[in-house]
Amino acid sequence: TQLLEQSPQFLSIQEGENLTVYCNSSSVFSSLQWYRQEPGEGPVLLVTVVTGGEVKKLKRLTFQFGDARKDSSLHITAAQPGDTGLYLCAGPNFGNEKLTFGTGTRLTIIP
Amino acid sequence: NAGVMQNPRHLVRRRGQEARLRCSPMKGHSHVYWYRQLPEEGLKFMVYLQKENIIDESGMPKERFSAEFPKEGPSILRIQQVVRGDSAAYFCASSPSGSGTNEKLFFGSGTQLSVL
């Protein structure tokens, strides 16, 4: 099973600040997905990146897939309290259909 | 258009009892995945099923755990003789085709299992 490590594990910042969280692996992934999970709910897909070096923007969120397709980052500009949640990256394992999830970054935005 | 429905939302069992968790996938979805999440951790894959078939159960404990997705009705995750270590949130996800094709997974709200 290919492993995904996320950092930092916990992040607490003031509203309005910028932040970046990371998703790293020693393995190559055909694609990576980013999910956000709120307490008591299931994860919700934010974006899928497929091409090495790809950058996707979703309002104040910018997702990047590493050139070698082993890592990805999520940058949030001007964080807002509504961004609070658990951010998970996930990628499909080669040769089978299951998604492997990263360890997660728990983000708290302080008003 | 209902999303993935899981029930119950909360389930309390005493050690040694059986837990049955249900998952109805989104309409038109024939692929179901079960994941387990411990507090402050990511999701751990348990099992992947298509209608009437278990495709990948590599994440399922060999004993006490079983899953099914019958032709009619919801997918069921069954845990027999529960122990305190089984306490976790169990999430079901569905997709119209396998996630290896970059298909989006839709998750339910989960079942929080507490074993006393």
Side-chain angles (χ1 to χ4, degrees):
Chain A
T1 300
Q2 297 157 276
L3 297 177
L4 288 165
E5 294 287 337
Q6 291 188 243
S7 61
Q9 186 177 359
F10 298 95
L11 182 60
S12 183
I13 64 170
Q14 294 289 137
E15 180 178 0
E17 294 184 352
N18 303 331
L19 66 106
T20 302
V21 298
Y22 301 92
C23 172
N24 295 292
S25 176
S26 58
S27 305
V28 175
F29 282 85
S30 59
S31 65
L32 278 179
Q33 298 179 341
W34 283 91
Y35 290 79
R36 180 169 64 209
Q37 183 181 19
E38 299 187 13
E41 297 297 330
V44 176
L45 180 68
L46 296 174
V47 77
T48 301
V49 286
V50 179
T51 307
E54 182 178 5
V55 176
K56 280 191 174 179
K57 290 183 182 291
L58 187 65
K59 296 183 180 179
R60 295 176 293 100
L61 278 60
T62 301
F63 303 85
Q64 184 162 8
F65 200 11
D67 291 340
R69 291 185 290 134
K70 292 183 178 181
D71 55 84
S72 181
S73 64
L74 159 59
H75 182 79
I76 301 179
T77 304
Q80 298 178 2
D83 296 328
T84 293
L86 178 66
Y87 288 81
L88 297 160
C89 64
N93 278 266
F94 284 121
N96 60 55
E97 300 290 328
K98 67 185 183 187
L99 269 184
T100 294
F101 279 82
T103 48
T105 292
R106 186 163 298 280
L107 175 65
T108 302
I109 307 302
I110 303 167
Chain B
N1 184 16
V4 177
M5 304 299 293
Q6 288 189 250
N7 67 81
R9 286 296 307 271
H10 302 275
L11 182 61
V12 180
R13 285 288 178 265
R14 296 191 180 278
R15 281 180 295 170
Q17 291 184 321
E18 178 179 282
R20 286 179 140 231
L21 287 62
R22 296 176 184 77
C23 169
S24 295
M26 286 186 70
K27 187 177 181 180
H29 287 192
S30 59
H31 298 244
V32 166
Y33 304 79
W34 285 93
Y35 285 82
R36 176 164 63 179
Q37 186 176 38
L38 295 171
E40 307 301 332
E41 292 189 10
L43 281 76
K44 303 295 185 188
F45 169 80
M46 299 183 73
V47 62
Y48 162 43
L49 311 101
Q50 294 180 30
K51 281 287 187 181
E52 299 185 275
N53 289 305
I54 296 175
I55 307 302
D56 183 346
E57 57 181 347
S58 58
M60 286 266 278
K62 294 287 185 271
E63 297 178 352
R64 302 188 297 108
F65 285 72
S66 62
E68 62 178 11
F69 189 16
K71 185 177 181 180
E72 300 291 338
S75 176
I76 306 288
L77 178 66
R78 182 184 294 110
I79 310 173
Q80 296 177 304
Q81 299 175 342
V82 296
V83 300
R84 288 212 173 113
D86 297 332
S87 295
Y90 291 83
F91 289 95
C92 167
S94 73
S95 69
S97 61
S99 64
T101 59
N102 299 328
E103 196 65 54
K104 178 177 179 178
L105 285 188
F106 293 82
F107 280 85
S109 297
T111 293
Q112 180 65 52
L113 173 65
S114 299
V115 180
L116 305 180

